[in-house]
Amino acid sequence: MANTDDAVLRVTGATKAFGSTVALAGVELAIARGEIYALIGHNGAGKTTLIKAISGRLRLDAGSVRILGRDVHKDPSARSLFGLVPQSIALYDHLTPRENLEVLGRLSGVSAENIARTVEQALEVVSLSDRANDRTADLSGGMQRRLNIAAGTLHSPPLLLLDEPTVGVDLMAREGIHDMLRDLRRRGLAVLLTTHDLEQAEELADRVGVIAEGRVLGEGDPAFLVREIFGDAKELILTLGHEPDADGLEFLADHGLQRAEGGTVWTGRLRGGFADLSDLGGRAAGAGLAVEELRVREPGLRGVFFRLTGSELSP
């Protein structure tokens, strides 16, 4: 786990409500230099609200957001310490990649004497030097995503905020973006990304936070989270035809199964290995459970998310 004692980003007690709807409920978050942190959750879980609060576009009801110790809502200079890459491509279609970076670089504070060199370096980093003078509208989706990320880092911020950075791109483009983010991590950036892509979080992030209903329910490196919940066991998923009665609930509790979706999907560790699976269905039926399906899968972030939130995360 990263040492966040000297965190680049520190969110403390972040709380925000819209009327009776609580979007953030005391979120605590810290990201260190040279760390990629992936925040995973359903739409409406609080990811976008948190990104808006960190970037100073939304004022919290309570709590604070500090970047290198500066409060983003009280110290205007803190706004220069992050780059923001929204889910929607934020580029000018009619301009070339070079022109886009020149315009966006100047807007982000890159000096006139440094802009040309900074843009050429950025084009090289994102492998777009040979397309620098084409219309941005003519680039592939993956190229536009890489250019969008480059635009967010022109002013060399210590923190990069990414909202669903690989939505709508093919596998090759996705891997190119991943390589780019790993390179930014090697350069010492702290990276916060929101994603629905559990494979992306598992292979790219140093730490993952699971957020639901405005709360971070679990946090840690992916392997740690899997071990914490499943140990060395496989994940067992039991689907029932109807909700269990009292005897059924007792059976499920005795086998360490927890309610996942509604009252008909239950999940937990597979005790006793596959040898125990063959008669588990029979024992469940004997307890009055209407078993429709028994599944076993290798535990990973999908299982972690399932156990913590009670539902699957759709890509």
Side-chain angles (χ1 to χ4, degrees):
M1 186 176 295
N3 180 1
T4 56
D5 290 344
D6 297 316
V8 173
L9 170 67
R10 188 173 296 280
V11 178
T12 305
T15 303
K16 182 66 182 179
F18 300 98
S20 61
T21 301
V22 177
L24 297 174
V27 170
E28 303 279 334
L29 187 68
I31 305 178
R33 184 178 184 275
E35 180 184 26
I36 296 177
Y37 186 108
L39 192 65
I40 57 178
H42 292 295
N43 289 333
K47 303 188 305 296
T48 299
T49 301
L50 183 60
I51 290 286
K52 287 181 177 179
I54 293 170
S55 61
R57 295 183 295 156
L58 182 71
R59 186 165 291 277
L60 294 170
D61 297 331
S64 65
V65 176
R66 296 181 181 276
I67 303 174
L68 295 181
R70 304 185 206 175
D71 191 313
V72 298
H73 297 291
K74 297 179 180 178
D75 186 346
S77 70
R79 304 293 177 90
S80 67
L81 299 178
F82 65 85
L84 175 62
V85 181
Q87 181 175 336
S88 301
I89 300 292
L91 300 168
Y92 299 102
D93 280 350
H94 63 286
L95 298 182
T96 68
R98 176 177 283 113
E99 290 168 340
N100 260 295
L101 294 182
E102 287 173 348
V103 170
L104 296 172
R106 293 295 285 127
L107 288 174
S108 64
V110 180
S111 65
E113 59 267 27
N114 290 329
I115 191 65
R117 175 176 55 82
T118 300
V119 166
E120 293 309 314
Q121 288 175 344
L123 288 167
E124 185 175 344
V125 167
V126 298
S127 302
L128 287 176
S129 296
D130 60 337
R131 303 293 300 272
N133 297 315
D134 295 348
R135 276 199 338 142
T136 295
D138 296 331
L139 301 181
S140 69
M143 291 177 180
Q144 291 186 18
R145 289 277 173 195
R146 297 204 310 270
L147 185 62
N148 212 33
I149 294 172
T153 61
L154 287 169
H155 59 301
S156 300
L159 173 67
L160 182 62
L161 306 173
L162 298 164
D163 192 6
E164 300 285 353
T166 56
V167 166
V169 302
D170 60 30
L171 184 60
M172 185 173 295
R174 175 181 177 274
E175 290 307 311
I177 292 170
H178 284 191
D179 288 342
M180 193 178 162
L181 294 178
R182 291 185 184 103
D183 183 59
L184 292 173
R185 173 173 58 191
R186 284 192 294 270
R187 297 178 185 206
L189 261 73
V191 179
L192 171 62
L193 66 91
T194 70
T195 183
H196 283 79
D197 187 338
L198 291 171
E199 289 184 2
Q200 178 177 77
E202 205 150 16
E203 64 188 53
L204 187 63
D206 300 292
R207 284 190 300 140
V208 170
V210 176
I211 187 170
E213 298 180 345
R215 299 180 185 276
V216 176
L217 303 180
E219 180 186 79
D221 73 74
F224 168 81
L225 287 173
V226 172
R227 287 194 307 272
E228 186 177 49
I229 290 179
F230 294 103
D232 296 325
K234 306 293 185 186
E235 181 187 8
L236 173 66
I237 300 170
L238 173 64
T239 303
L240 304 176
H242 53 74
E243 293 193 22
D245 58 16
D247 289 339
L249 289 171
E250 183 178 355
F251 175 90
L252 293 166
D254 287 345
H255 285 75
L257 295 171
Q258 295 180 2
R259 186 188 304 268
E261 295 181 358
T264 60
V265 181
W266 296 72
T267 178
R269 301 174 184 174
L270 175 61
R271 296 178 175 179
F274 288 101
D276 186 56
L277 187 63
S278 58
D279 65 343
L280 179 61
R283 297 200 310 272
L289 296 172
V291 178
E292 286 194 346
E293 182 185 33
L294 271 173
R295 281 191 294 142
V296 176
R297 66 184 175 191
E298 194 68 32
L301 279 184
R302 185 167 300 281
V304 168
F305 189 88
F306 199 55
R307 286 296 294 272
L308 291 176
T309 69
S311 61
E312 296 274 11
L313 181 62
S314 302

